Amino acid sequence: MKTEALGATAADKPLDAMRIERRAPGPRDVQIDIAYCGVCHSDLHTVRSEWGGTLYPCVPGHEIVGHVSAVGTEVSGFKVGDSVGVGCLVGSCQHCPACAEGLEQYCENGFVGTYNGPTADAPGHTLGGYSQRIVVDEKFVLRIRHPEAQLAAVAPLLCAGITTYSPLRHWRIGPGSKVGVVGIGGLGHMGIKLAHAMGAHVVAFTTSEGKRQDAHALGADEVVNSRNLEEVKRHHGSFDFILDTVAASHDLDLFTALLRRDGTLCLVGVPEHAHPSPSVAQLIFGRRSIAGSLIGGIAETQEMLDFCAERGIVADIEMIPMQQIDAAYDRMQRSDVKYRFVIDNATLGKGPA
Ligand code: NAP
Ligand code: ZN
């Protein structure tokens, strides 16, 4: 089916309106009319091929929410009209040990990303949520239980929410934990909300002095300007866990020094250029770890959505028409996002980008 979309034809080209083809739903497929799609920094990294390997045309977007508009004959979990979401994954092998544990993001045969992933559909790679509709295997469709009025603000949970929820759960964050969140952007602002909701003492690290008040409102107990070394050093050796969401290369030693014995600095930001090599001494004295974490599996994404629905947690968003996507990317690159752009997909196919 012909579908209006917003995509790029090359790394140095701006996003532009384009028409793509979506497959007719197969027996296990769910067709979703997309209402809103969050704008993740990974979209920008991919569109501009900052990580290399981007396939064009590139239609990004993996924070998708909308309503079911058709289902295949064997679909049992969803019906037309349901509020649903799709995150970063639309496929995986389903039989490797990682998939068997519900960790499809670590599929040993390679997961299929919502965009830039392998598919039999034209043009041979997946196209994401900056589009009017998408067709997805029901195993990768999430149920949304938030009130309908919150749908747009739920969209960022599908990537920013799960990418911060999953490591907080894996490292067993709860009451009594002291948690740092570095970078208050899309991921970071969700990290603050979720760590706070799990009962941790949360310290937000920001390079933007203007986000200080907001960080407290998001749930941070303390806020540190990470460019002010005196302020940073006050927290030396005190953190159980620090979640680093920064989208640019930076000095990791600043944060490993803040970990207590056996503490972990978990990286979720994926900068275009590598971080400077961290100090080994800082890790071995104190048995500290630097770790990484990738989004989350389908079961855990549903758990996170339900956790948020029960507690009324959504993202803080700024809604944009698709015509403003370039301006939004420029602002995202300047850390000027409060705290996630969300595209109103009803604006697709209505005038020039
Ligand atoms: P974002 O909204 O742009 O937020 C990143 C934040 O990092 C900025 O708001 C800023 O916060 C801080 N920052 C930016 N440049 C900085 C610099 N040079 N030095 C220090 N701090 C800086 O991005 P996002 O969508 O949250 O994504 C963050 C990163 O995570 C991206 O690299 C993205 O690709 C990656 N990601 C990873 C996963 C995963 O599974 N691991 C999933 C999604 C996204 P302050 O203004 O507070 O300093
Ligand atoms: Zn993302």
Side-chain angles (χ1 to χ4, degrees):
M1 189 186 296
K2 291 272 178 254
T3 298
E4 303 295 339
L6 184 62
T9 52
D12 57 356
K13 293 271 185 343
L15 290 160
D16 213 345
M18 57 173 65
R19 195 166 276 182
I20 61 171
E21 186 68 29
R22 291 296 189 196
R23 69 175 181 261
R28 286 184 293 276
D29 281 337
V30 174
Q31 178 180 289
I32 301 159
D33 285 356
I34 304 174
Y36 306 102
C37 184
V39 177
C40 179
H41 208 114
S42 301
D43 301 352
L44 188 159
H45 290 305
T46 304
V47 164
R48 299 187 181 166
S49 204
E50 291 179 352
W51 298 328
T54 299
L55 304 165
Y56 295 92
C58 171
V59 174
H62 56 204
E63 293 184 339
I64 297 168
V65 293
H67 302 100
V68 174
S69 51
V71 293
T73 49
E74 292 170 24
V75 169
S76 55
F78 299 95
K79 61 179 189 321
V80 170
D82 285 354
S83 297
V84 293
V86 177
C88 306
L89 302 169
V90 292
S92 72
C93 84
Q94 302 286 315
H95 54 72
C96 74
C99 287
E101 278 186 62
L103 298 169
E104 298 90 350
Q105 76 275 35
Y106 302 117
C107 174
E108 293 175 17
N109 297 301
F111 66 81
V112 181
T114 303
Y115 55 81
N116 212 48
T119 176
D121 296 353
H125 58 272
T126 51
L127 303 171
Y130 296 9
S131 58
Q132 284 177 320
R133 68 180 67 80
I134 192 165
V135 178
V136 178
D137 183 318
E138 76 164 323
K139 286 199 179 74
F140 293 85
V141 178
L142 287 311
R143 183 166 296 286
I144 292 172
R145 299 190 166 90
H146 287 75
E148 188 66 23
Q150 291 184 323
L151 195 58
V154 169
L157 302 183
L158 275 307
C159 174
I162 186 59
T163 303
T164 50
Y165 182 92
S166 183
L168 291 169
R169 280 285 187 239
H170 182 75
W171 275 276
R172 300 181 192 285
I173 298 311
S177 312
K178 181 173 175 183
V179 171
V181 177
V182 186
I184 313 177
L187 267 57
H189 97 289
M190 286 311 308
I192 295 170
K193 288 187 187 215
L194 292 169
H196 173 73
M198 291 174 191
H201 180 88
V202 183
V203 182
F205 290 88
T206 183
T207 58
S208 306
E209 191 55 42
K211 295 180 182 173
R212 193 178 279 275
Q213 281 313 316
D214 289 353
H216 282 296
L218 292 166
D221 298 284
E222 300 176 67
V223 184
V224 172
N225 184 327
S226 46
R227 296 203 203 278
N228 180 337
L229 294 188
E230 284 313 306
E231 233 184 295
V232 173
K233 279 183 190 155
R234 262 179 245 147
H235 292 272
H236 185 88
S238 66
F239 282 93
D240 299 292
F241 186 72
I242 301 178
L243 189 65
D244 187 335
T245 75
V246 172
S249 147
H250 62 282
D251 175 17
L252 301 181
D253 296 342
L254 190 70
F255 300 107
T256 53
L258 304 187
L259 296 171
R260 54 187 297 174
R261 174 169 50 78
D262 292 327
T264 298
L265 170 67
C266 178
L267 306 178
V268 288
V270 190
E272 178 181 6
H273 304 290
H275 296 301
S277 179
S279 154
V280 173
Q282 206 133 254
L283 299 177
I284 61 178
F285 288 94
R287 199 162 55 186
R288 296 156 168 150
S289 304
I290 297 179
S293 184
L294 178 67
I295 49 176
I298 296 302
E300 194 173 45
T301 304
Q302 189 64 62
E303 177 189 307
M304 176 276 310
L305 284 168
D306 295 346
F307 176 93
C308 290
E310 280 160 23
R311 291 163 182 77
I313 297 172
V314 291
D316 288 19
I317 64 163
E318 185 174 336
M319 185 103 74
I320 57 164
M322 69 99 170
Q323 290 80 359
Q324 283 173 19
I325 191 72
D326 287 326
Y329 276 18
D330 288 345
R331 281 182 53 195
M332 187 154 65
Q333 224 154 16
R334 284 185 271 117
S335 302
D336 178 22
V337 184
K338 292 185 173 178
Y339 281 88
R340 195 58 135 187
F341 290 114
V342 171
I343 298 172
D344 176 358
N345 287 47
T347 61
L348 286 165
K350 299 225 174 99

